[in-house]
Amino acid sequence: MLTVETLAKSFTMHILGGQRIAGCRDVSFAVGRGEFWALAGPSGAGKSTVLKCLYRTYLPDAGRVWYDSDEFGRVDLVSAPERTIIAIRRRELGYVSQFLQVIPRVPALEVVMEPLRLSDAQQTYDIDATIEGGGVAGQAGTFRRIGDRDLRH
């Protein structure tokens, strides 16, 4: 479903005379349909950079991010046209920032599913049925972890 190959992203620090710092380097992994993964590491290790590259908020310097889209087939999210990225974001792929400000006492699943409710997607989603039917709860505790390594090295 998602394959990341040698992903790299750096940033130019103009305030430091144009010095380039690595956000992530040589990140590779594959996530199959129905799998849950955790991206773990210390603060500043590059976790958010990787996620923003997957969502294409950041354009990576190198590597490929292959996504098996229901609508477009196998797509490289690094090189796909903007319209394709927008369509995939509307219907298939979501990202919730760690700095998201949400209304208290709203379940996390509702926050994550909100873009689907606002989209023009044809499907309807029953949150309770998804949880009780094993779509989420049935997978709880079963996830893989992308090691605790610093993703910048």
Side-chain angles (χ1 to χ4, degrees):
M1 174 167 200
L2 181 73
T3 303
V4 177
E5 300 172 346
T6 61
L7 188 70
K9 174 66 180 165
S10 62
F11 300 93
T12 302
M13 303 301 293
H14 298 285
I15 196 165
L16 298 175
Q19 180 181 349
R20 294 188 64 80
I21 60 167
C24 65
R25 186 178 314 154
D26 196 31
V27 176
S28 297
F29 60 91
V31 180
R33 186 172 296 277
E35 289 185 328
F36 289 86
W37 281 62
L39 189 58
S43 178
K47 302 177 300 292
S48 292
T49 299
V50 170
L51 291 175
K52 289 178 180 181
C53 286
L54 298 182
Y55 194 61
R56 214 4 225 269
T57 304
Y58 291 164
L59 190 59
D61 299 330
R64 296 282 173 239
V65 177
W66 296 103
Y67 173 68
D68 294 329
S69 167
D70 291 336
E71 184 174 348
F72 299 100
R74 191 159 175 83
V75 175
D76 178 12
L77 298 177
V78 173
S79 61
E82 294 297 325
R83 290 184 187 273
T84 301
I85 297 298
I86 290 168
I88 289 172
R89 284 179 179 173
R90 282 191 183 143
R91 297 180 190 99
E92 301 181 40
L93 187 65
Y95 172 79
V96 178
S97 168
Q98 63 185 330
F99 302 112
L100 178 69
Q101 296 181 2
V102 297
I103 300 169
R105 293 177 295 284
V106 173
L109 191 55
E110 286 187 27
V111 172
V112 172
M113 291 183 77
E114 184 64 19
L116 288 174
R117 290 190 181 131
L118 299 175
S119 77
D120 59 351
Q122 297 294 318
Q123 300 92 345
T124 58
Y125 298 89
D126 182 339
I127 292 171
D128 293 329
T130 300
I131 293 171
E132 291 170 11
V136 175
Q139 300 283 334
T142 305
F143 63 89
R144 293 165 124 183
R145 190 177 169 124
I146 300 171
D148 284 320
R149 75 180 178 100
D150 189 328
L151 300 172
R152 298 170 297 169
H153 303 286

